[in-house]
Amino acid sequence: MQPIAQRVIVLGLDGAGNRIGEANTPNIDRLLGGGFLTYSARTAVPTISGECWGSMFHGVKPELHGLNNSIAEQKKYPTDSPYPSFMKVVKEAYPDRTVASFSSWKPINDGIIEEGVVDCAANARADREHVQSLTELIKGDNDFKLLFVQFDEIDAAGHAFGYGDPLYLEVIAATDALIGDMLQQLDSRGLMEDTLFILLADHGGGGASPRNHGSDHPQDVTIFWGCAGPGVLSGAASEPVRIEDTAAVVAFSLGVEAPAAWTAKVPSGLFEETVR
Ligand SMILES: [Zn+2]
């Protein structure tokens, strides 16, 4: 398998559901313009961060990866699991290259990603700290192979004000501005062109209850999922993208074979036929 991208960046917007289109998001719009974007992707059930980010990283549904919030808070994901995270899979394929994870929700770095995989892990107290973490990651001649970033303040606003509330949409806009700062840094270093970007939410909210999530209501389960970069076609898939498919897209774009036990698959219609 040939890689089609030099590096991958996955930007995770906690609790954003499929609502980014309702907020002012000029940076996300520009990034995904001409790329692939669906507002009808599906996350895992129950629609809770441990289960959903777990499915994104480990390429399978929660019944298989076994993660939930309290497990992710208490212990590291086993390194001998048949469902390794895409972080581990990429690190094993590129042992000399940097794999980084910046997360405002600690259990991602502390429990969901296996021990010894991430070269640069930053647990932020505020989402804006990710901008500085990126500056440090790419200073000098430093490059990286894979970067995951989790923004937590959208979900916090959903719990505080209600999912879809104007104040919640303002936090989506503020997160977009942080993403804009990060894109500017990447651009000034010439790191945009051969990078594959994936943007997604782990879950929505406001389905069963206005200030919560976790149910199988469509407002909780439905997420946006966007992708832009080398070989990516514009438009949206004919069949719904599932959150676990993210793992397959990361592996595919870096030319790494996906573990046999992953149920993740590259969405049809995402990449040009010539690169598949
Ligand atoms: Zn939440």
Side-chain angles (χ1 to χ4, degrees):
M1 283 173 77
Q2 289 296 312
I4 57 169
Q6 278 305 309
R7 67 192 74 70
V8 171
I9 299 177
V10 180
L11 301 177
L13 280 60
D14 207 295
N18 65 352
R19 295 185 186 270
I20 60 161
E22 298 169 39
N24 182 34
T25 56
N27 297 294
I28 293 172
D29 297 348
R30 193 163 50 241
L31 180 63
L32 298 179
F36 179 99
L37 175 61
T38 173
Y39 290 105
S40 54
R42 289 181 60 82
T43 193
V45 174
T47 51
I48 298 170
S49 288
E51 283 87 338
C52 296
W53 291 130
S55 285
M56 182 201 72
F57 278 114
H58 294 279
V60 291
K61 297 215 182 296
E63 303 85 86
L64 295 177
H65 63 63
L67 285 159
N68 60 33
N69 286 4
S70 68
I71 289 171
E73 279 159 16
Q74 285 164 31
K75 55 181 190 184
K76 274 278 181 189
Y77 194 79
T79 51
D80 59 352
S81 164
Y83 320 111
S85 70
F86 63 70
M87 306 295 270
K88 183 169 188 276
V89 168
V90 169
K91 185 62 190 177
E92 284 173 352
Y94 296 96
D96 302 330
R97 300 296 304 279
T98 298
V99 169
S101 172
F102 308 154
S103 186
S104 300
W105 188 59
K106 284 183 80 225
I108 288 177
N109 284 327
D110 294 357
I112 295 180
I113 302 173
E114 299 90 336
E115 187 98 58
V117 166
V118 172
D119 304 289
C120 175
N123 288 329
R125 278 157 303 166
D127 288 349
R128 65 176 180 279
E129 292 176 19
H130 298 323
V131 178
Q132 182 61 32
S133 295
L134 180 65
T135 310
E136 281 157 28
L137 180 68
I138 61 174
K139 72 182 169 199
D141 288 330
N142 289 344
D143 193 1
F144 58 91
K145 187 54 76 178
L146 176 60
L147 167 64
F148 172 76
V149 185
Q150 183 261 3
F151 299 90
D152 203 47
E153 288 163 15
I154 298 168
D155 190 56
H159 287 293
F161 310 118
Y163 293 79
D165 184 276
L167 290 169
Y168 163 93
L169 298 178
E170 264 181 40
V171 179
I172 293 182
T175 304
D176 177 82
L178 297 179
I179 290 171
D181 288 347
M182 297 173 94
L183 297 179
Q184 209 166 18
Q185 288 190 42
L186 294 164
D187 193 32
S188 70
R189 281 284 315 282
L191 295 176
M192 285 295 287
E193 216 166 274
D194 44 12
T195 299
L196 187 103
F197 288 88
I198 301 169
L199 277 75
L200 77 162
D202 61 335
H203 55 73
S209 145
R211 297 185 188 186
N212 213 345
H213 55 86
S215 82
D216 57 2
H217 188 286
Q219 282 190 44
D220 291 4
V221 176
T222 313
I223 56 170
F224 86 98
W225 195 95
C227 188
V232 174
L233 291 170
S234 62
S238 46
E239 54 196 285
V241 176
R242 306 162 305 161
I243 194 166
E244 60 265 36
D245 294 334
T246 309
V249 175
V250 172
F252 175 81
S253 61
L254 293 175
V256 178
E257 197 168 338
W262 278 1
T263 56
K265 56 179 203 233
V266 176
S268 60
L270 176 59
F271 289 109
E272 291 166 15
E273 281 303 316
T274 49
V275 305
R276 287 183 68 92

